[in-house]
Amino acid sequence: MNRILIIGSPGSGKSTLAQKLGRIWSLHVIHLDAHFWKPNWVMPQEAEWDQTIERLTMQEQWIIDGNYSRTMDKRIERADLIILLDMPRWLCMYRIFKRRVMFHKKTRPDMNEGCEEKIDWAFVKWVWQYPKRSRMKTLNKLEQAAASGKQVIILQTRKQVKELLHDQIQYRVHTQK
C-alpha cells in the first residue's frame, strides 16, 4: 500500500487518522488544507490548485487527507486505498468546535502557517449540511472506484477507526517478522 486517500466531513478525523496511519506505514502525510490555503485564508486560483494536486498525487508514496471535491477524482485515480470517514454529524460538529477552542489564536498542525483557527456561521453550516450535500456524491464515486478495483473502506464509528488502526498495526508487525 503506497497511496492512501482519506476523505470525509470536516471534523470527521481525517487529519488525525492520516497522522496515525503515516506513523504505522512510514508514509509521508499530506494535509490538503496546508497546501490549499495560503496565509490569511487566501484561496489559490483553480489552475494553480490543479497543478498542486498533480504534483502531490504523482509522488510514489503518500497519505492525503482532505476533500476538495473538484479534484477528488484525480486523487481517487492515484490512490491504492480510499478511506471514507462517514462519521455522525453530531460528532463532526463537536470536533470542529473543540478544535476551535484548542487552537484559539493558533494555526493547527495540519494547516498552512498564517491560517489561525477560526469558525464562522458559513463553516458551521457547511459541516452541518455535509451529509445532505456531499455524502451521496462521495459514496457514488467510491462505488465506482471499488468497481474499478480500488480498495475502499468506509468507517462510520470511532470504534471502527480504532479497529482499523489496531489491524494495521498488527499487520505491520506481522509483515516485519
PDB file of all heavy atoms in Angstrom, residues 3-26:
ATOM      1  N   ARG A   3      -0.294   4.496  -1.557  1.00  0.00           N
ATOM      2  CA  ARG A   3      -1.026   5.765  -1.624  1.00  0.00           C
ATOM      3  C   ARG A   3      -2.405   5.593  -1.004  1.00  0.00           C
ATOM      4  O   ARG A   3      -3.229   4.826  -1.512  1.00  0.00           O
ATOM      5  CB  ARG A   3      -1.123   6.231  -3.081  1.00  0.00           C
ATOM      6  CG  ARG A   3       0.239   6.611  -3.663  1.00  0.00           C
ATOM      7  CD  ARG A   3       0.168   6.988  -5.124  1.00  0.00           C
ATOM      8  NE  ARG A   3      -0.312   5.914  -5.976  1.00  0.00           N
ATOM      9  CZ  ARG A   3       0.439   4.900  -6.424  1.00  0.00           C
ATOM     10  NH1 ARG A   3       1.717   4.843  -6.128  1.00  0.00           N
ATOM     11  NH2 ARG A   3      -0.090   3.973  -7.194  1.00  0.00           N
ATOM     12  N   ILE A   4      -2.633   6.319   0.091  1.00  0.00           N
ATOM     13  CA  ILE A   4      -3.889   6.230   0.841  1.00  0.00           C
ATOM     14  C   ILE A   4      -4.564   7.592   0.815  1.00  0.00           C
ATOM     15  O   ILE A   4      -3.952   8.603   1.155  1.00  0.00           O
ATOM     16  CB  ILE A   4      -3.634   5.803   2.304  1.00  0.00           C
ATOM     17  CG1 ILE A   4      -2.914   4.455   2.355  1.00  0.00           C
ATOM     18  CG2 ILE A   4      -4.947   5.762   3.088  1.00  0.00           C
ATOM     19  CD1 ILE A   4      -2.419   4.057   3.744  1.00  0.00           C
ATOM     20  N   LEU A   5      -5.820   7.604   0.433  1.00  0.00           N
ATOM     21  CA  LEU A   5      -6.623   8.823   0.424  1.00  0.00           C
ATOM     22  C   LEU A   5      -7.659   8.722   1.535  1.00  0.00           C
ATOM     23  O   LEU A   5      -8.364   7.718   1.638  1.00  0.00           O
ATOM     24  CB  LEU A   5      -7.331   8.989  -0.929  1.00  0.00           C
ATOM     25  CG  LEU A   5      -8.310  10.142  -1.061  1.00  0.00           C
ATOM     26  CD1 LEU A   5      -7.625  11.486  -0.838  1.00  0.00           C
ATOM     27  CD2 LEU A   5      -8.983  10.103  -2.423  1.00  0.00           C
ATOM     28  N   ILE A   6      -7.736   9.771   2.366  1.00  0.00           N
ATOM     29  CA  ILE A   6      -8.709   9.818   3.453  1.00  0.00           C
ATOM     30  C   ILE A   6      -9.624  11.014   3.218  1.00  0.00           C
ATOM     31  O   ILE A   6      -9.145  12.149   3.113  1.00  0.00           O
ATOM     32  CB  ILE A   6      -8.023   9.918   4.830  1.00  0.00           C
ATOM     33  CG1 ILE A   6      -7.054   8.747   5.014  1.00  0.00           C
ATOM     34  CG2 ILE A   6      -9.074   9.951   5.945  1.00  0.00           C
ATOM     35  CD1 ILE A   6      -6.196   8.837   6.267  1.00  0.00           C
ATOM     36  N   ILE A   7     -10.927  10.742   3.133  1.00  0.00           N
ATOM     37  CA  ILE A   7     -11.908  11.790   2.870  1.00  0.00           C
ATOM     38  C   ILE A   7     -13.032  11.701   3.901  1.00  0.00           C
ATOM     39  O   ILE A   7     -13.172  10.691   4.592  1.00  0.00           O
ATOM     40  CB  ILE A   7     -12.466  11.694   1.432  1.00  0.00           C
ATOM     41  CG1 ILE A   7     -13.029  10.299   1.143  1.00  0.00           C
ATOM     42  CG2 ILE A   7     -11.387  12.050   0.418  1.00  0.00           C
ATOM     43  CD1 ILE A   7     -13.620  10.127  -0.246  1.00  0.00           C
ATOM     44  N   GLY A   8     -13.829  12.753   3.979  1.00  0.00           N
ATOM     45  CA  GLY A   8     -14.965  12.789   4.893  1.00  0.00           C
ATOM     46  C   GLY A   8     -15.268  14.217   5.296  1.00  0.00           C
ATOM     47  O   GLY A   8     -14.537  15.155   4.950  1.00  0.00           O
ATOM     48  N   SER A   9     -16.320  14.373   6.041  1.00  0.00           N
ATOM     49  CA  SER A   9     -16.753  15.691   6.501  1.00  0.00           C
ATOM     50  C   SER A   9     -15.660  16.383   7.306  1.00  0.00           C
ATOM     51  O   SER A   9     -14.848  15.721   7.965  1.00  0.00           O
ATOM     52  CB  SER A   9     -17.988  15.527   7.394  1.00  0.00           C
ATOM     53  OG  SER A   9     -18.330  16.737   8.016  1.00  0.00           O
ATOM     54  N   PRO A  10     -15.630  17.711   7.287  1.00  0.00           N
ATOM     55  CA  PRO A  10     -14.781  18.409   8.252  1.00  0.00           C
ATOM     56  C   PRO A  10     -15.138  17.923   9.658  1.00  0.00           C
ATOM     57  O   PRO A  10     -16.311  17.705   9.970  1.00  0.00           O
ATOM     58  CB  PRO A  10     -15.152  19.884   8.061  1.00  0.00           C
ATOM     59  CG  PRO A  10     -15.651  19.960   6.655  1.00  0.00           C
ATOM     60  CD  PRO A  10     -16.363  18.651   6.420  1.00  0.00           C
ATOM     61  N   GLY A  11     -14.136  17.706  10.483  1.00  0.00           N
ATOM     62  CA  GLY A  11     -14.363  17.233  11.838  1.00  0.00           C
ATOM     63  C   GLY A  11     -14.526  15.731  11.964  1.00  0.00           C
ATOM     64  O   GLY A  11     -14.733  15.215  13.057  1.00  0.00           O
ATOM     65  N   SER A  12     -14.407  15.002  10.865  1.00  0.00           N
ATOM     66  CA  SER A  12     -14.594  13.547  10.924  1.00  0.00           C
ATOM     67  C   SER A  12     -13.356  12.816  11.435  1.00  0.00           C
ATOM     68  O   SER A  12     -13.443  11.643  11.797  1.00  0.00           O
ATOM     69  CB  SER A  12     -14.994  12.995   9.551  1.00  0.00           C
ATOM     70  OG  SER A  12     -13.971  13.229   8.595  1.00  0.00           O
ATOM     71  N   GLY A  13     -12.210  13.482  11.456  1.00  0.00           N
ATOM     72  CA  GLY A  13     -10.994  12.849  11.954  1.00  0.00           C
ATOM     73  C   GLY A  13      -9.989  12.494  10.876  1.00  0.00           C
ATOM     74  O   GLY A  13      -9.082  11.692  11.107  1.00  0.00           O
ATOM     75  N   LYS A  14     -10.108  13.106   9.704  1.00  0.00           N
ATOM     76  CA  LYS A  14      -9.221  12.776   8.575  1.00  0.00           C
ATOM     77  C   LYS A  14      -7.751  13.005   8.912  1.00  0.00           C
ATOM     78  O   LYS A  14      -6.919  12.132   8.681  1.00  0.00           O
ATOM     79  CB  LYS A  14      -9.591  13.614   7.339  1.00  0.00           C
ATOM     80  CG  LYS A  14     -10.973  13.391   6.803  1.00  0.00           C
ATOM     81  CD  LYS A  14     -11.278  14.240   5.586  1.00  0.00           C
ATOM     82  CE  LYS A  14     -11.199  15.726   5.842  1.00  0.00           C
ATOM     83  NZ  LYS A  14     -12.236  16.255   6.725  1.00  0.00           N
ATOM     84  N   SER A  15      -7.437  14.172   9.425  1.00  0.00           N
ATOM     85  CA  SER A  15      -6.038  14.517   9.694  1.00  0.00           C
ATOM     86  C   SER A  15      -5.444  13.645  10.783  1.00  0.00           C
ATOM     87  O   SER A  15      -4.290  13.207  10.690  1.00  0.00           O
ATOM     88  CB  SER A  15      -5.916  15.992  10.077  1.00  0.00           C
ATOM     89  OG  SER A  15      -6.313  16.805   8.998  1.00  0.00           O
ATOM     90  N   THR A  16      -6.230  13.369  11.809  1.00  0.00           N
ATOM     91  CA  THR A  16      -5.752  12.511  12.903  1.00  0.00           C
ATOM     92  C   THR A  16      -5.482  11.105  12.394  1.00  0.00           C
ATOM     93  O   THR A  16      -4.429  10.522  12.687  1.00  0.00           O
ATOM     94  CB  THR A  16      -6.783  12.493  14.049  1.00  0.00           C
ATOM     95  OG1 THR A  16      -6.979  13.831  14.513  1.00  0.00           O
ATOM     96  CG2 THR A  16      -6.325  11.612  15.196  1.00  0.00           C
ATOM     97  N   LEU A  17      -6.408  10.558  11.623  1.00  0.00           N
ATOM     98  CA  LEU A  17      -6.206   9.213  11.071  1.00  0.00           C
ATOM     99  C   LEU A  17      -5.007   9.200  10.129  1.00  0.00           C
ATOM    100  O   LEU A  17      -4.206   8.258  10.162  1.00  0.00           O
ATOM    101  CB  LEU A  17      -7.467   8.737  10.344  1.00  0.00           C
ATOM    102  CG  LEU A  17      -7.380   7.344   9.718  1.00  0.00           C
ATOM    103  CD1 LEU A  17      -7.067   6.279  10.771  1.00  0.00           C
ATOM    104  CD2 LEU A  17      -8.681   7.013   8.981  1.00  0.00           C
ATOM    105  N   ALA A  18      -4.868  10.231   9.317  1.00  0.00           N
ATOM    106  CA  ALA A  18      -3.717  10.295   8.400  1.00  0.00           C
ATOM    107  C   ALA A  18      -2.402  10.256   9.175  1.00  0.00           C
ATOM    108  O   ALA A  18      -1.474   9.529   8.790  1.00  0.00           O
ATOM    109  CB  ALA A  18      -3.798  11.563   7.553  1.00  0.00           C
ATOM    110  N   GLN A  19      -2.311  11.027  10.239  1.00  0.00           N
ATOM    111  CA  GLN A  19      -1.081  11.051  11.044  1.00  0.00           C
ATOM    112  C   GLN A  19      -0.788   9.669  11.635  1.00  0.00           C
ATOM    113  O   GLN A  19       0.354   9.204  11.601  1.00  0.00           O
ATOM    114  CB  GLN A  19      -1.189  12.088  12.167  1.00  0.00           C
ATOM    115  CG  GLN A  19      -1.115  13.504  11.696  1.00  0.00           C
ATOM    116  CD  GLN A  19       0.250  13.859  11.127  1.00  0.00           C
ATOM    117  OE1 GLN A  19       1.235  13.146  11.252  1.00  0.00           O
ATOM    118  NE2 GLN A  19       0.308  14.994  10.472  1.00  0.00           N
ATOM    119  N   LYS A  20      -1.813   9.032  12.164  1.00  0.00           N
ATOM    120  CA  LYS A  20      -1.615   7.712  12.787  1.00  0.00           C
ATOM    121  C   LYS A  20      -1.216   6.660  11.750  1.00  0.00           C
ATOM    122  O   LYS A  20      -0.299   5.868  11.990  1.00  0.00           O
ATOM    123  CB  LYS A  20      -2.871   7.300  13.547  1.00  0.00           C
ATOM    124  CG  LYS A  20      -3.075   8.136  14.800  1.00  0.00           C
ATOM    125  CD  LYS A  20      -4.355   7.776  15.532  1.00  0.00           C
ATOM    126  CE  LYS A  20      -4.481   8.653  16.783  1.00  0.00           C
ATOM    127  NZ  LYS A  20      -5.713   8.358  17.532  1.00  0.00           N
ATOM    128  N   LEU A  21      -1.889   6.644  10.610  1.00  0.00           N
ATOM    129  CA  LEU A  21      -1.518   5.688   9.563  1.00  0.00           C
ATOM    130  C   LEU A  21      -0.131   6.009   8.994  1.00  0.00           C
ATOM    131  O   LEU A  21       0.620   5.104   8.640  1.00  0.00           O
ATOM    132  CB  LEU A  21      -2.561   5.684   8.441  1.00  0.00           C
ATOM    133  CG  LEU A  21      -3.890   5.017   8.767  1.00  0.00           C
ATOM    134  CD1 LEU A  21      -4.871   5.204   7.616  1.00  0.00           C
ATOM    135  CD2 LEU A  21      -3.700   3.538   9.083  1.00  0.00           C
ATOM    136  N   GLY A  22       0.192   7.286   8.919  1.00  0.00           N
ATOM    137  CA  GLY A  22       1.522   7.682   8.452  1.00  0.00           C
ATOM    138  C   GLY A  22       2.618   7.106   9.335  1.00  0.00           C
ATOM    139  O   GLY A  22       3.654   6.651   8.845  1.00  0.00           O
ATOM    140  N   ARG A  23       2.387   7.135  10.644  1.00  0.00           N
ATOM    141  CA  ARG A  23       3.381   6.569  11.574  1.00  0.00           C
ATOM    142  C   ARG A  23       3.449   5.051  11.427  1.00  0.00           C
ATOM    143  O   ARG A  23       4.537   4.479  11.435  1.00  0.00           O
ATOM    144  CB  ARG A  23       3.039   6.952  13.014  1.00  0.00           C
ATOM    145  CG  ARG A  23       3.402   8.387  13.340  1.00  0.00           C
ATOM    146  CD  ARG A  23       3.339   8.691  14.825  1.00  0.00           C
ATOM    147  NE  ARG A  23       1.998   8.656  15.372  1.00  0.00           N
ATOM    148  CZ  ARG A  23       1.143   9.673  15.360  1.00  0.00           C
ATOM    149  NH1 ARG A  23       1.499  10.824  14.835  1.00  0.00           N
ATOM    150  NH2 ARG A  23      -0.043   9.549  15.893  1.00  0.00           N
ATOM    151  N   ILE A  24       2.305   4.400  11.295  1.00  0.00           N
ATOM    152  CA  ILE A  24       2.287   2.935  11.172  1.00  0.00           C
ATOM    153  C   ILE A  24       3.003   2.490   9.901  1.00  0.00           C
ATOM    154  O   ILE A  24       3.825   1.575   9.934  1.00  0.00           O
ATOM    155  CB  ILE A  24       0.828   2.407  11.173  1.00  0.00           C
ATOM    156  CG1 ILE A  24       0.187   2.623  12.545  1.00  0.00           C
ATOM    157  CG2 ILE A  24       0.781   0.926  10.773  1.00  0.00           C
ATOM    158  CD1 ILE A  24      -1.329   2.407  12.571  1.00  0.00           C
ATOM    159  N   TRP A  25       2.702   3.124   8.774  1.00  0.00           N
ATOM    160  CA  TRP A  25       3.215   2.695   7.479  1.00  0.00           C
ATOM    161  C   TRP A  25       4.457   3.460   7.019  1.00  0.00           C
ATOM    162  O   TRP A  25       4.974   3.189   5.939  1.00  0.00           O
ATOM    163  CB  TRP A  25       2.121   2.809   6.412  1.00  0.00           C
ATOM    164  CG  TRP A  25       1.074   1.763   6.605  1.00  0.00           C
ATOM    165  CD1 TRP A  25      -0.152   1.911   7.161  1.00  0.00           C
ATOM    166  CD2 TRP A  25       1.210   0.375   6.294  1.00  0.00           C
ATOM    167  NE1 TRP A  25      -0.806   0.704   7.191  1.00  0.00           N
ATOM    168  CE2 TRP A  25       0.014  -0.254   6.661  1.00  0.00           C
ATOM    169  CE3 TRP A  25       2.232  -0.390   5.734  1.00  0.00           C
ATOM    170  CZ2 TRP A  25      -0.205  -1.611   6.500  1.00  0.00           C
ATOM    171  CZ3 TRP A  25       2.016  -1.749   5.553  1.00  0.00           C
ATOM    172  CH2 TRP A  25       0.818  -2.340   5.938  1.00  0.00           C
ATOM    173  N   SER A  26       4.905   4.417   7.825  1.00  0.00           N
ATOM    174  CA  SER A  26       6.062   5.253   7.462  1.00  0.00           C
ATOM    175  C   SER A  26       5.843   5.925   6.104  1.00  0.00           C
ATOM    176  O   SER A  26       6.725   5.937   5.245  1.00  0.00           O
ATOM    177  CB  SER A  26       7.356   4.425   7.436  1.00  0.00           C
ATOM    178  OG  SER A  26       7.597   3.866   8.698  1.00  0.00           O
TER     179      SER A  26
END
